[in-house]
Amino acid sequence: MTATLIDGNAVAAAIHGEICAEVEELKTKYGIVPGLATVLVGTNPASQFYVRSKQKKCGEVGIRSFGYDLPETATQEEVEGLVRELGANPEVHGILVQLPLPRHLDEKRVLSAVPIEKDVDGFHPVNIGELGMKGREPKFVPCTPAGCIELLDRYNIEIAGKEAVVLGRSNIVGLPVSMLLLKRDATVTICHSRSHDLPGICRRADILIAAVGRPRMVKTDWVKPGAAIIDVGINRVDDPTAKQGYRIVGDVDFEEVKEVAGYLTPVPGGVGPMTIAMLLKNTLTAAKRAAGLIP
Amino acid sequence: MTATLIDGNAVAAAIHGEICAEVEELKTKYGIVPGLATVLVGTNPASQFYVRSKQKKCGEVGIRSFGYDLPETATQEEVEGLVRELGANPEVHGILVQLPLPRHLDEKRVLSAVPIEKDVDGFHPVNIGELGMKGREPKFVPCTPAGCIELLDRYNIEIAGKEAVVLGRSNIVGLPVSMLLLKRDATVTICHSRSHDLPGICRRADILIAAVGRPRMVKTDWVKPGAAIIDVGINRVDDPTAKQGYRIVGDVDFEEVKEVAGYLTPVPGGVGPMTIAMLLKNTLTAAKRAAGLIP
């Protein structure tokens, strides 16, 4: 193994510590308790797991969490009504609608009901626009992209002037992380399922962000020796030796690529914990902003 | 010369013809006359020239233009007040604030006063966000980027799966044209003044958009043989043989590069006329939308 392991758990733990201290200060100095509301519709096991993890972490850092679980059959009006109610509740500083929503619901309309000052996921088009635009700053940076950059920063990996390649162009990872890298002065290439010669394109990267949702797609010959690789993938693959019959792997073939890369995040334990850490940070920011402590 | 010349004047003329016919139909069928208001502050000669060109073209296609020229000394309140008034005027379907504004004015606040349904320039952060996001469509696509894509399309230059390189990352060209190319399934690289080895990066391009504002920067060795090159640059260079003592050149060294490229836009007569054509098209769209004829 030549790659330095980027330890997302350790970085996330450090950030939790920082948030904890700030939350405590907010309570004692101003009597404010940051609050995060989660809205979960239906019984998707992965969604349930994510929401529970977020609530648990909120508890650990002193953020109050408000959990709303609606049945699979909830109507558009019910979901939007709840989101609007939470939007008006001054104890709720951040609102997280767990995606994906059941098919009969209009996701765009539900998300539009989240007031922009409580959009701690950072998915509002205004946030995405301001993320990309020079001279503008979004209210919130989407959590997973922010987590990727934070990992690079905490390991002192230079971004400015480097070739960054983003594999995948989703609204929640690929697109916003590309914009963050561009704002940090990287040369940014965005590639995807329609690109020709993905291995050749990825091999140009000093920094490679893999966010395509294909298990172990990135092989050794996709990687420039010494590159920093952030693996955003969370894929379930069959594994008869595991207790549940499956295990979680990333978009990068970790065993192969660790021999070539300079830095590499594991899955699990890389980007995953960072996403939650950034969500908590955004919630704290929302609470401070609501109190007029920051602009 | 091996490159096919992309004739922006001819394409723009064809679009003007299409718009003309639609404007005529709108008048006779519904009694609606599309209207574009221009707001010019100060006496910058280039800005005056652009605004006059836009007004002239409006006249040619039957769009009513409302010209507002404010003195260099206009206050923030005066400019915003005018923009808000135009926002409320039902005869005005599009509002164009000519940039740059004099230094003492807050550009961001002025632009925020333009209602999004009249933002025919497409510079509102919501428009930029929706431009980039999958499954979303902006109300208006910014004019120059839309013009670049239109030129590629009218010359049947394939975009999907191709390597597109955008040189420059401005809010008004580089960033939005990158997003448009991405939505059209290109592999997109954005490079800029902080990138290393610009010639090498540009040489990867099947489609190169030069939007960096440096006269004749792109040389033969920056160009893959056969590439399609869209030159967005408008740079003034000294020329003692010219009547005014200067002439206008692009970001591409036309004389050199035309021997290598497959397609090339001249400057002037390439992207320039397309920008105005797209502005007229957006104004027509705004008028149709205001009348409830399109969503």
Side-chain angles (χ1 to χ4, degrees):
Chain A
M1 162 124 181
T2 64
T4 299
L5 208 69
I6 296 182
D7 186 344
N9 285 321
V11 174
I15 294 171
H16 289 160
E18 295 160 19
I19 293 172
C20 222
E22 278 210 65
V23 168
E24 186 56 35
E25 196 192 333
L26 216 53
K27 277 182 205 170
T28 49
K29 257 197 183 164
Y30 304 97
I32 297 163
V33 182
L36 175 70
T38 54
V39 177
L40 174 65
V41 185
T43 56
N44 178 317
S47 292
Q48 285 179 328
F49 174 77
Y50 291 137
V51 166
R52 299 299 160 252
S53 308
K54 289 165 188 172
Q55 290 171 338
K56 187 166 158 265
K57 288 291 173 195
C58 278
E60 288 173 20
V61 298
I63 291 176
R64 189 185 295 163
S65 74
F66 302 80
Y68 292 86
D69 293 6
L70 300 184
E72 188 80 27
T73 53
T75 64
Q76 183 76 27
E77 288 62 39
E78 282 165 348
V79 181
E80 281 187 45
L82 170 61
V83 170
R84 248 180 249 111
E85 209 175 276
L86 295 170
N89 182 343
E91 294 194 328
V92 171
H93 301 103
I95 300 172
L96 178 119
V97 179
Q98 185 66 40
L99 303 180
L101 290 171
R103 286 232 188 124
H104 67 281
L105 295 173
D106 181 337
E107 186 178 299
K108 188 177 156 183
R109 271 175 53 209
V110 170
L111 292 181
S112 298
V114 178
I116 186 159
E117 65 274 13
K118 298 192 179 186
D119 175 34
V120 286
D121 255 340
F123 292 160
H124 193 287
V126 166
N127 267 331
I128 299 294
E130 297 198 318
L131 198 66
M133 291 169 81
K134 235 187 282 189
R136 305 264 190 154
E137 287 302 328
K139 286 231 174 316
F140 302 102
V141 178
C143 303
T144 303
C148 295
I149 302 293
E150 191 77 28
L151 286 177
L152 295 171
D153 282 344
R154 299 235 175 185
Y155 279 78
N156 297 313
I157 295 161
E158 214 189 325
I159 301 174
K162 298 294 176 186
E163 289 253 7
V165 175
V166 177
L167 178 58
R169 52 175 165 171
S170 68
N171 289 343
I172 59 176
V173 185
L175 180 73
V177 84
S178 303
M179 290 168 165
L180 288 174
L181 289 163
L182 187 64
K183 268 209 175 158
R184 292 287 295 274
D185 293 330
T187 299
V188 179
T189 298
I190 311 167
C191 58
H192 44 79
S193 57
R194 298 289 303 274
S195 294
H196 300 161
D197 187 22
L198 281 175
I201 295 166
C202 290
R203 211 158 46 227
R204 298 174 192 156
D206 301 308
I207 297 167
L208 176 64
I209 314 280
V212 76
R214 301 273 295 270
R216 301 194 196 101
M217 190 189 204
V218 175
K219 305 287 183 191
T220 314
D221 63 328
W222 294 43
V223 173
K224 180 197 275 191
I229 302 186
I230 307 289
D231 187 352
V232 184
I234 298 180
N235 310 292
R236 213 184 250 209
V237 291
D238 291 338
D239 181 355
T241 72
K243 213 172 102 187
Q244 314 100 312
Y246 67 86
R247 58 196 187 97
I248 300 297
V249 300
D251 291 349
V252 177
D253 192 325
F254 185 86
E255 288 307 317
E256 262 194 52
V257 169
K258 72 177 172 25
E259 305 299 334
V260 184
Y263 294 85
L264 181 57
T265 62
V267 176
V271 175
M274 292 301 293
T275 297
I276 297 184
M278 294 296 124
L279 175 68
L280 301 177
K281 204 171 168 183
N282 280 350
T283 305
L284 175 62
T285 298
K288 289 199 284 188
R289 202 177 275 145
L293 299 173
I294 54 169
Chain B
M1 163 124 181
T2 64
T4 299
L5 207 69
I6 297 184
D7 186 345
N9 285 321
V11 174
I15 294 172
H16 289 160
E18 293 160 20
I19 293 172
C20 222
E22 278 210 65
V23 168
E24 185 57 34
E25 197 193 332
L26 216 53
K27 276 182 205 169
T28 49
K29 258 200 183 162
Y30 304 96
I32 298 164
V33 183
L36 175 70
T38 54
V39 177
L40 174 65
V41 186
T43 55
N44 179 315
S47 291
Q48 286 179 327
F49 173 78
Y50 291 137
V51 165
R52 300 297 161 253
S53 309
K54 289 165 188 172
Q55 290 171 337
K56 187 166 158 266
K57 287 292 172 194
C58 278
E60 287 173 21
V61 299
I63 290 177
R64 189 185 294 162
S65 74
F66 302 82
Y68 292 85
D69 293 7
L70 300 184
E72 189 79 28
T73 53
T75 65
Q76 184 76 28
E77 288 61 42
E78 283 166 348
V79 181
E80 280 186 47
L82 170 61
V83 170
R84 247 179 250 110
E85 208 175 278
L86 296 169
N89 182 345
E91 296 194 327
V92 171
H93 301 104
I95 301 172
L96 179 121
V97 179
Q98 185 65 41
L99 302 180
L101 290 170
R103 287 232 187 124
H104 67 281
L105 296 173
D106 182 337
E107 185 178 299
K108 189 176 152 182
R109 273 174 53 210
V110 170
L111 292 180
S112 297
V114 178
I116 188 160
E117 64 274 14
K118 298 191 179 185
D119 176 34
V120 285
D121 255 339
F123 292 159
H124 193 288
V126 165
N127 267 332
I128 299 294
E130 298 197 318
L131 198 66
M133 292 168 82
K134 235 188 283 191
R136 304 265 191 154
E137 287 302 329
K139 285 230 174 315
F140 302 103
V141 177
C143 303
T144 302
C148 295
I149 303 292
E150 190 78 26
L151 286 177
L152 295 171
D153 282 343
R154 299 236 175 184
Y155 278 78
N156 297 313
I157 295 162
E158 213 189 326
I159 301 174
K162 298 294 177 187
E163 289 253 8
V165 174
V166 177
L167 177 59
R169 52 174 164 171
S170 68
N171 288 343
I172 60 175
V173 185
L175 180 72
V177 83
S178 304
M179 291 168 164
L180 288 175
L181 289 163
L182 187 64
K183 269 209 175 156
R184 291 288 295 275
D185 293 329
T187 299
V188 180
T189 298
I190 312 167
C191 57
H192 44 79
S193 57
R194 299 289 304 273
S195 294
H196 299 161
D197 187 22
L198 282 176
I201 294 166
C202 290
R203 212 158 45 227
R204 299 173 191 156
D206 300 308
I207 296 167
L208 176 64
I209 313 281
V212 77
R214 300 273 296 270
R216 300 192 196 105
M217 189 190 205
V218 175
K219 305 286 184 191
T220 315
D221 63 328
W222 294 43
V223 174
K224 180 198 278 192
I229 302 185
I230 306 290
D231 187 352
V232 184
I234 299 180
N235 309 292
R236 211 184 252 210
V237 293
D238 292 337
D239 182 354
T241 71
K243 212 173 104 189
Q244 312 100 314
Y246 67 85
R247 60 197 185 96
I248 300 297
V249 300
D251 292 348
V252 176
D253 192 325
F254 185 85
E255 288 308 316
E256 262 194 51
V257 169
K258 73 176 171 23
E259 304 300 334
V260 184
Y263 293 86
L264 180 57
T265 62
V267 175
V271 175
M274 292 301 293
T275 297
I276 297 184
M278 294 296 124
L279 175 68
L280 301 178
K281 205 172 167 181
N282 280 350
T283 304
L284 174 62
T285 299
K288 289 200 282 187
R289 203 178 275 143
L293 300 174
I294 55 169

